[in-house]
Amino acid sequence: MPVTESKYLSPVWRDGLFKDRVVFVTGGAGTICSMQTRALVRLGANACIVGRSEDKTVEAAKDIATARPGARVIGIGGCDVRQMESLQAAADRCARELGGIDFVIAGAAGNFVVPLEAMSSNAFKSVMDIDALGTFHTVKATLPHLLLSPTPRIIYISATFHYTGMPMQAHVSAAKAAVDSIAASVALEYGPRGVTSNVIAPGAIEETEGAARLLSSEVTKEYAATIPSGRLGTVRDVADATVFLFSEAGAYINGQVIPVDGGAWRRQAGS
Ligand code: HXC
C-alpha cells in the first residue's frame, strides 16, 4: 500500500522499509514518541512501548497498531525508567515476543516549569532521574538485544535548552545535557559493534504537552514568527527525522545531535 501524506509521515518513504524490524520505545504513549512509533510501524516495524501509566500505554499501543494491518504493538504499563529491573523485564519481554530489538527510542522525560529558587532538591533529582538515569537504564537494558541485530540503532529525544540555558528549566537543561553526553559515549563505545547512537533535539512542537507547558497560547504565534523556518514544528517533522536515522540512508550518521527546530536555537543564541 503506497505511503500517502499523513499527520505523522511524509509521502517520500517506501512501504515495507522497516519490515521485520522491532522498535522499543520509552515514553511511547507521549505525543512525539507515539507518532515516531506510528511512523515506523506504518513502514513495517513491530513495536513495544513502555510507560508508567498502564491505561495510557496500553491504549496508545492499540492506537499505534492501527497504522498497519497485521502490525504487532505491545504496550507495557507500570514501567518506570528509573527502575532498572522493570525496564530490563520489559526489554526482555519485547525481544522474546517480537523476536529481538533493532531500534530504540529513549523518549521518557519529565518536565515542569519552575523558578530555580522554588525548585526542591527532589524536584531537580526527579527530572535528572527520569531523563538521565532513565536513558542510561534504557541503553543498558536493550543493549544485549541490540547487539544481536543487523541494524542496531538508538535515538534519544533531547532538547535544545542546554545550548543556551533556559529560565525555569534548570533541571531539564541539565538532564538533557546528560542525555546528549550518554548518546556520544555510546556512539564511541559501541560504534565499532555496529550501533548508531544519535540524538533528536526537538524545538517547540505544536500540539504537545511540552509546548503547551512552555508556551501560552498568546505567545505561541509571536514565538513561531521568530523561528527561522517561520513556524512551530510538527510531530511529523520529528517522525520523518526518525525514519531517516533508522533507515539505511542514516547508517553513517553516528554520535550526532540533530535539532529538529526550524533553526530556532540558533536564533535564540544569536539574539
Ligand atoms: C515545582 C514540582 C512540580 C512543579 C513536581 N514537583 N511538579 N515542583 N513545580 N510543577 C516536585 C514535587 O514537589 C517533588 O518534590 C518532586 O518534584 C517530585 O514530584 P513527584 O510528583 O513526587 O514525582 P513523580 O511522581 O515521580 O513525577 C515526576 C514528574 C512529573 C517529573 C514530577 O511531572 C511527571 O511524571 N512527568 C512525566 C510527564 C512529563 O513531564 N511529560 C512532559 C515531558 S515534555 P518534593 O520536594 O515536593 O518532594 C518534555 C519536553 C520539553 O520533556 C521540551 C518542550 C519544548
Side-chain angles (χ1 to χ4, degrees), residues 52 82 109-112 114 120 122-123 126 130 161 209 213-214:
R52 269 190 294 162
R82 290 171 286 192
N111 190 6
F112 43 85
V114 60
S120 69
N122 194 36
S126 295
I130 295 170
F161 300 159
E209 202 180 321
R213 285 187 197 188
L214 293 169

Side-chain angles (χ1 to χ4, degrees), residues 49-166:
I49 65 169
V50 303
R52 269 190 294 162
S53 157
E54 184 77 38
D55 291 352
K56 229 178 127 184
T57 308
V58 170
E59 214 35 58
K62 274 191 204 153
D63 189 53
I64 291 166
T66 63
R68 177 175 53 83
R72 296 178 66 199
V73 182
I74 303 171
I76 304 179
C79 180
D80 190 326
V81 291
R82 290 171 286 192
Q83 308 299 331
M84 181 63 196
E85 298 73 22
S86 71
L87 202 53
Q88 188 67 67
D92 293 349
R93 183 177 153 198
C94 170
R96 202 170 50 243
E97 292 187 18
L98 298 179
I101 298 177
D102 303 285
F103 307 145
V104 172
I105 298 176
N111 190 6
F112 43 85
V113 177
V114 60
L116 192 136
E117 59 190 335
M119 193 186 299
S120 69
S121 301
N122 194 36
F124 184 88
K125 185 175 179 305
S126 295
V127 170
M128 286 300 288
D129 282 356
I130 295 170
D131 292 23
L133 186 63
T135 293
F136 165 71
H137 284 162
T138 302
V139 174
K140 206 166 152 61
T142 55
L143 204 52
H145 303 293
L146 274 173
L147 290 172
L148 299 174
S149 165
T151 57
R153 308 268 167 93
I154 308 173
I155 290 175
Y156 313 76
I157 304 302
S158 183
T160 58
F161 300 159
H162 48 296
Y163 309 162
T164 55
M166 181 61 72

Side-chain angles (χ1 to χ4, degrees), residues 200-226:
I200 288 179
I205 304 297
E206 63 186 18
E207 295 173 23
T208 59
E209 202 180 321
R213 285 187 197 188
L214 293 169
L215 297 169
S216 66
S217 47
E218 306 89 72
V219 303
T220 298
K221 252 193 177 161
E222 217 174 285
Y223 175 69
T226 70

